[in-house]
mmCIF file of all heavy atoms in Angstrom:
data_model
loop_
_atom_site.group_PDB
_atom_site.id
_atom_site.type_symbol
_atom_site.label_atom_id
_atom_site.label_comp_id
_atom_site.label_asym_id
_atom_site.label_seq_id
_atom_site.Cartn_x
_atom_site.Cartn_y
_atom_site.Cartn_z
ATOM 1 N N ALA D 120 45.532 50.286 -16.321
ATOM 2 C CA ALA D 120 44.937 49.174 -15.563
ATOM 3 C C ALA D 120 43.454 49.435 -15.271
ATOM 4 O O ALA D 120 42.619 48.537 -15.282
ATOM 5 C CB ALA D 120 45.710 48.963 -14.266
ATOM 6 N N LEU D 121 43.162 50.703 -15.054
ATOM 7 C CA LEU D 121 41.812 51.146 -14.700
ATOM 8 C C LEU D 121 40.737 50.724 -15.685
ATOM 9 O O LEU D 121 39.593 50.464 -15.293
ATOM 10 C CB LEU D 121 41.867 52.678 -14.652
ATOM 11 C CG LEU D 121 40.730 53.430 -14.070
ATOM 12 C CD1 LEU D 121 40.604 53.078 -12.603
ATOM 13 C CD2 LEU D 121 40.980 54.925 -14.240
ATOM 14 N N ILE D 122 41.087 50.671 -16.970
ATOM 15 C CA ILE D 122 40.054 50.422 -17.982
ATOM 16 C C ILE D 122 40.305 49.150 -18.793
ATOM 17 O O ILE D 122 39.559 48.864 -19.714
ATOM 18 C CB ILE D 122 39.917 51.610 -18.974
ATOM 19 C CG1 ILE D 122 41.267 51.897 -19.641
ATOM 20 C CG2 ILE D 122 39.385 52.846 -18.285
ATOM 21 C CD1 ILE D 122 41.120 52.648 -20.950
ATOM 22 N N HIS D 123 41.338 48.367 -18.423
ATOM 23 C CA HIS D 123 41.704 47.251 -19.303
ATOM 24 C C HIS D 123 40.596 46.202 -19.386
ATOM 25 O O HIS D 123 40.480 45.498 -20.374
ATOM 26 C CB HIS D 123 43.024 46.605 -18.857
ATOM 27 C CG HIS D 123 42.861 45.515 -17.841
ATOM 28 N ND1 HIS D 123 42.692 45.771 -16.500
ATOM 29 C CD2 HIS D 123 42.805 44.168 -17.975
ATOM 30 C CE1 HIS D 123 42.549 44.628 -15.862
ATOM 31 N NE2 HIS D 123 42.617 43.635 -16.716
ATOM 32 N N ASP D 124 39.749 46.131 -18.353
ATOM 33 C CA ASP D 124 38.660 45.144 -18.432
ATOM 34 C C ASP D 124 37.325 45.797 -18.821
ATOM 35 O O ASP D 124 36.273 45.186 -18.708
ATOM 36 C CB ASP D 124 38.529 44.386 -17.102
ATOM 37 C CG ASP D 124 38.247 45.311 -15.932
ATOM 38 O OD1 ASP D 124 38.345 46.546 -16.116
ATOM 39 O OD2 ASP D 124 37.937 44.806 -14.843
ATOM 40 N N LYS D 125 37.378 47.055 -19.255
ATOM 41 C CA LYS D 125 36.162 47.725 -19.735
ATOM 42 C C LYS D 125 36.199 47.744 -21.271
ATOM 43 O O LYS D 125 37.106 47.186 -21.885
ATOM 44 C CB LYS D 125 36.110 49.166 -19.205
ATOM 45 C CG LYS D 125 36.438 49.326 -17.742
ATOM 46 C CD LYS D 125 35.232 49.170 -16.860
ATOM 47 C CE LYS D 125 35.655 49.238 -15.394
ATOM 48 N NZ LYS D 125 34.549 49.172 -14.474
ATOM 49 N N ASP D 126 35.210 48.448 -21.844
ATOM 50 C CA ASP D 126 35.175 48.606 -23.295
ATOM 51 C C ASP D 126 36.176 49.697 -23.679
ATOM 52 O O ASP D 126 35.816 50.809 -24.064
ATOM 53 C CB ASP D 126 33.754 48.974 -23.746
ATOM 54 C CG ASP D 126 33.699 49.319 -25.234
ATOM 55 O OD1 ASP D 126 34.588 48.864 -25.992
ATOM 56 O OD2 ASP D 126 32.780 50.064 -25.618
ATOM 57 N N TRP D 127 37.463 49.356 -23.589
ATOM 58 C CA TRP D 127 38.491 50.382 -23.820
ATOM 59 C C TRP D 127 38.535 50.820 -25.286
ATOM 60 O O TRP D 127 38.854 51.967 -25.593
ATOM 61 C CB TRP D 127 39.866 49.909 -23.354
ATOM 62 C CG TRP D 127 40.337 48.619 -23.980
ATOM 63 C CD1 TRP D 127 40.235 47.381 -23.446
ATOM 64 C CD2 TRP D 127 40.954 48.458 -25.262
ATOM 65 N NE1 TRP D 127 40.744 46.444 -24.307
ATOM 66 C CE2 TRP D 127 41.200 47.091 -25.433
ATOM 67 C CE3 TRP D 127 41.322 49.333 -26.279
ATOM 68 C CZ2 TRP D 127 41.789 46.566 -26.571
ATOM 69 C CZ3 TRP D 127 41.916 48.825 -27.431
ATOM 70 C CH2 TRP D 127 42.140 47.447 -27.558
ATOM 71 N N ALA D 128 38.185 49.914 -26.218
ATOM 72 C CA ALA D 128 38.201 50.288 -27.642
ATOM 73 C C ALA D 128 37.146 51.363 -27.905
ATOM 74 O O ALA D 128 37.409 52.367 -28.578
ATOM 75 C CB ALA D 128 37.955 49.060 -28.503
ATOM 76 N N GLY D 129 35.955 51.162 -27.340
ATOM 77 C CA GLY D 129 34.904 52.168 -27.475
ATOM 78 C C GLY D 129 35.317 53.489 -26.851
ATOM 79 O O GLY D 129 35.071 54.568 -27.407
ATOM 80 N N MET D 130 35.946 53.380 -25.695
ATOM 81 C CA MET D 130 36.391 54.593 -25.007
ATOM 82 C C MET D 130 37.420 55.345 -25.838
ATOM 83 O O MET D 130 37.379 56.566 -25.969
ATOM 84 C CB MET D 130 36.983 54.216 -23.643
ATOM 85 C CG MET D 130 37.152 55.408 -22.727
ATOM 86 S SD MET D 130 38.586 55.238 -21.629
ATOM 87 C CE MET D 130 39.877 55.896 -22.686
ATOM 88 N N LEU D 131 38.356 54.591 -26.431
ATOM 89 C CA LEU D 131 39.422 55.208 -27.228
ATOM 90 C C LEU D 131 38.833 55.908 -28.451
ATOM 91 O O LEU D 131 39.233 57.023 -28.799
ATOM 92 C CB LEU D 131 40.416 54.115 -27.644
ATOM 93 C CG LEU D 131 41.865 54.514 -27.898
ATOM 94 C CD1 LEU D 131 42.425 55.375 -26.782
ATOM 95 C CD2 LEU D 131 42.724 53.251 -28.075
ATOM 96 N N ARG D 132 37.857 55.276 -29.095
ATOM 97 C CA ARG D 132 37.218 55.910 -30.254
ATOM 98 C C ARG D 132 36.488 57.180 -29.823
ATOM 99 O O ARG D 132 36.542 58.197 -30.508
ATOM 100 C CB ARG D 132 36.235 54.935 -30.907
ATOM 101 C CG ARG D 132 36.934 53.822 -31.658
ATOM 102 C CD ARG D 132 36.071 53.146 -32.727
ATOM 103 N NE ARG D 132 36.940 52.277 -33.522
ATOM 104 C CZ ARG D 132 37.316 51.049 -33.138
ATOM 105 N NH1 ARG D 132 36.855 50.531 -32.017
ATOM 106 N NH2 ARG D 132 38.146 50.351 -33.891
ATOM 107 N N GLU D 133 35.787 57.104 -28.686
ATOM 108 C CA GLU D 133 35.082 58.282 -28.160
ATOM 109 C C GLU D 133 36.080 59.417 -27.917
ATOM 110 O O GLU D 133 35.829 60.577 -28.262
ATOM 111 C CB GLU D 133 34.366 57.895 -26.848
ATOM 112 C CG GLU D 133 33.547 59.033 -26.231
ATOM 113 C CD GLU D 133 32.951 58.637 -24.882
ATOM 114 O OE1 GLU D 133 32.398 57.525 -24.762
ATOM 115 O OE2 GLU D 133 33.079 59.448 -23.939
ATOM 116 N N LEU D 134 37.227 59.058 -27.314
ATOM 117 C CA LEU D 134 38.280 60.041 -27.045
ATOM 118 C C LEU D 134 38.740 60.711 -28.334
ATOM 119 O O LEU D 134 38.817 61.942 -28.420
ATOM 120 C CB LEU D 134 39.485 59.339 -26.428
ATOM 121 C CG LEU D 134 39.689 59.414 -24.926
ATOM 122 C CD1 LEU D 134 40.951 58.676 -24.542
ATOM 123 C CD2 LEU D 134 39.764 60.858 -24.468
ATOM 124 N N LEU D 135 39.041 59.885 -29.337
ATOM 125 C CA LEU D 135 39.579 60.424 -30.589
ATOM 126 C C LEU D 135 38.560 61.319 -31.286
ATOM 127 O O LEU D 135 38.920 62.326 -31.901
ATOM 128 C CB LEU D 135 39.994 59.269 -31.502
ATOM 129 C CG LEU D 135 41.124 58.394 -30.959
ATOM 130 C CD1 LEU D 135 41.398 57.227 -31.902
ATOM 131 C CD2 LEU D 135 42.404 59.207 -30.732
ATOM 132 N N ASP D 136 37.279 60.944 -31.184
ATOM 133 C CA ASP D 136 36.244 61.753 -31.832
ATOM 134 C C ASP D 136 36.019 63.072 -31.103
ATOM 135 O O ASP D 136 35.748 64.093 -31.714
ATOM 136 C CB ASP D 136 34.925 60.961 -31.902
ATOM 137 C CG ASP D 136 35.013 59.841 -32.928
ATOM 138 O OD1 ASP D 136 35.879 59.927 -33.823
ATOM 139 O OD2 ASP D 136 34.225 58.882 -32.814
ATOM 140 N N SER D 137 36.108 63.024 -29.785
ATOM 141 C CA SER D 137 35.724 64.218 -29.023
ATOM 142 C C SER D 137 36.897 65.142 -28.751
ATOM 143 O O SER D 137 36.716 66.323 -28.518
ATOM 144 C CB SER D 137 35.091 63.800 -27.685
ATOM 145 O OG SER D 137 36.059 63.184 -26.868
ATOM 146 N N LEU D 138 38.111 64.611 -28.765
ATOM 147 C CA LEU D 138 39.248 65.407 -28.320
ATOM 148 C C LEU D 138 40.131 65.854 -29.474
ATOM 149 O O LEU D 138 41.345 65.920 -29.375
ATOM 150 C CB LEU D 138 40.078 64.609 -27.310
ATOM 151 C CG LEU D 138 39.323 64.172 -26.058
ATOM 152 C CD1 LEU D 138 40.205 63.313 -25.183
ATOM 153 C CD2 LEU D 138 38.822 65.376 -25.285
ATOM 154 N N SER D 139 39.485 66.177 -30.590
ATOM 155 C CA SER D 139 40.284 66.575 -31.753
ATOM 156 C C SER D 139 40.827 67.991 -31.595
ATOM 157 O O SER D 139 41.788 68.362 -32.238
ATOM 158 C CB SER D 139 39.442 66.460 -33.023
ATOM 159 O OG SER D 139 38.256 67.197 -32.874
ATOM 160 N N ARG D 140 40.159 68.761 -30.782
ATOM 161 C CA ARG D 140 40.602 70.142 -30.614
ATOM 162 C C ARG D 140 41.255 70.309 -29.236
ATOM 163 O O ARG D 140 41.276 69.406 -28.418
ATOM 164 C CB ARG D 140 39.406 71.088 -30.725
ATOM 165 C CG ARG D 140 38.822 71.151 -32.146
ATOM 166 C CD ARG D 140 37.594 72.034 -32.182
ATOM 167 N NE ARG D 140 36.582 71.572 -31.230
ATOM 168 C CZ ARG D 140 35.775 70.522 -31.457
ATOM 169 N NH1 ARG D 140 35.856 69.836 -32.570
ATOM 170 N NH2 ARG D 140 34.877 70.155 -30.553
ATOM 171 N N GLY D 141 41.756 71.522 -28.999
ATOM 172 C CA GLY D 141 42.300 71.846 -27.682
ATOM 173 C C GLY D 141 43.799 71.692 -27.619
ATOM 174 O O GLY D 141 44.394 70.921 -28.372
ATOM 175 N N ASP D 142 44.414 72.439 -26.710
ATOM 176 C CA ASP D 142 45.857 72.297 -26.526
ATOM 177 C C ASP D 142 46.135 71.056 -25.685
ATOM 178 O O ASP D 142 45.225 70.347 -25.256
ATOM 179 C CB ASP D 142 46.470 73.554 -25.882
ATOM 180 C CG ASP D 142 45.892 73.824 -24.509
ATOM 181 O OD1 ASP D 142 45.349 72.892 -23.883
ATOM 182 O OD2 ASP D 142 45.978 74.967 -24.048
ATOM 183 N N LYS D 143 47.419 70.803 -25.407
ATOM 184 C CA LYS D 143 47.772 69.540 -24.768
ATOM 185 C C LYS D 143 47.182 69.420 -23.355
ATOM 186 O O LYS D 143 46.722 68.357 -22.952
ATOM 187 C CB LYS D 143 49.296 69.376 -24.718
ATOM 188 C CG LYS D 143 49.716 67.996 -24.233
ATOM 189 C CD LYS D 143 51.197 67.786 -24.254
ATOM 190 C CE LYS D 143 51.555 66.507 -23.486
ATOM 191 N NZ LYS D 143 52.986 66.277 -23.454
#
Side-chain angles (χ1 to χ4, degrees):
Chain D
L121 192 64
I122 57 158
H123 88 279
D124 59 350
K125 314 272 176 177
D126 173 24
W127 57 263
M130 194 213 87
L131 207 48
R132 287 201 170 81
E133 182 185 315
L134 260 181
L135 297 176
D136 288 339
S137 67
L138 301 176
S139 54
R140 291 177 303 282
D142 61 21
K143 188 177 168 181

